[in-house]
Amino acid sequence: MSNQVPTDGTLLPLMEEFYTIQGEGYHTGKAAYFIRLGGCDVGCHWCDVKESWDANLHPLTEADTIIANAKLYPAKTVVITGGEPLIYNLDYLTTGLQNSGIKTFMETSGAYPLSGSWDWICLSPKKFKAPLPSVIEAAGELKIIVFNKSDFEWAEKYASQMPTGRKLYLQPEWSKAEQMTPLIIEYVKANPQWEISLQTHKYLNIP
Ligand code: SF4
């Protein structure tokens, strides 16, 4: 899938980059430059960015160009997402961003070894490929996508592995939001260590 991507992280398969508002999780409501890397083999059946899966469809782009683009925007924050960004070595990109005064946030399933220098990691583990302990340890927030009732028990399995004090979020999967949101509300009322995360960008009709 990513054979031709050099391992030094200087070239990355870029699917899209855009300036918007972070819609989910701890940093909801903040302006950020989104960098979406192509390539994912986790295989979530409800994935809403399946066009990201094949890295070969997305042009190899100089990390320096991505950094220069991110510097053009007023919010000195990027969200690196995918696809699964940790398929790649993110050391070069994130160090370059931080050296430019830009905060580095990432959305990851945690299924690949941790690389990069991060100001915030959102770990959203998936049933189809378990997260690695190194990513669990480094994550500032755990965000569980709730697709059906059994996901609450599954969420607790990962919450128990998170270091003390990390943020815990339950987020309804978009196509199941009508059924799952009332259950999440009751769950959070009974288990207030959890908070609700909504895909507010979808309600706001922004990317
Ligand atoms: S990990 Fe993310 S990008 Fe990959 S299949 Fe799952 S939802 Fe889609």
Side-chain angles (χ1 to χ4, degrees), residues 36-37 39-50 52-53 81-85 107-111 124-126 128-129 145:
R36 187 185 303 284
L37 301 179
C40 187
D41 62 358
V42 176
C44 309
H45 59 88
W46 43 258
C47 177
D48 59 2
V49 280
K50 289 191 169 114
S52 73
W53 288 6
T81 186
E84 173 43 66
E107 306 272 332
T108 178
S109 69
S124 186
K126 304 297 186 312
F128 320 97
K129 211 164 188 191
I145 311 303

Side-chain angles (χ1 to χ4, degrees), residues 144-148 151-152 170-173 176 180 184:
I144 299 290
I145 311 303
V146 179
F147 185 80
N148 60 42
D151 290 336
F152 292 103
L170 296 169
Q171 177 173 298
E173 195 278 321
K176 289 289 191 86
M180 290 302 129
I184 293 173

Side-chain angles (χ1 to χ4, degrees), residues 71-137:
K71 285 164 73 172
L72 298 174
Y73 293 88
K76 299 304 175 198
T77 301
V78 300
V79 177
I80 299 176
T81 186
E84 173 43 66
L86 283 179
I87 288 175
Y88 310 106
N89 176 358
L90 299 176
D91 293 340
Y92 184 89
L93 176 64
T94 53
T95 302
L97 287 162
Q98 288 181 332
N99 287 344
S100 302
I102 295 173
K103 287 198 163 47
T104 56
F105 300 170
M106 173 170 60
E107 306 272 332
T108 178
S109 69
Y112 282 82
L114 188 61
S115 64
S117 180
W118 301 103
D119 292 289
W120 191 261
I121 296 174
C122 171
L123 170 63
S124 186
K126 304 297 186 312
K127 283 184 177 157
F128 320 97
K129 211 164 188 191
L132 301 178
S134 59
V135 187
I136 295 173
E137 177 65 33

Side-chain angles (χ1 to χ4, degrees), residues 180-195:
M180 290 302 129
T181 303
L183 301 183
I184 293 173
I185 291 168
E186 291 311 312
Y187 195 88
V188 169
K189 284 159 70 179
N191 302 277
Q193 69 275 25
W194 290 95
E195 298 177 34

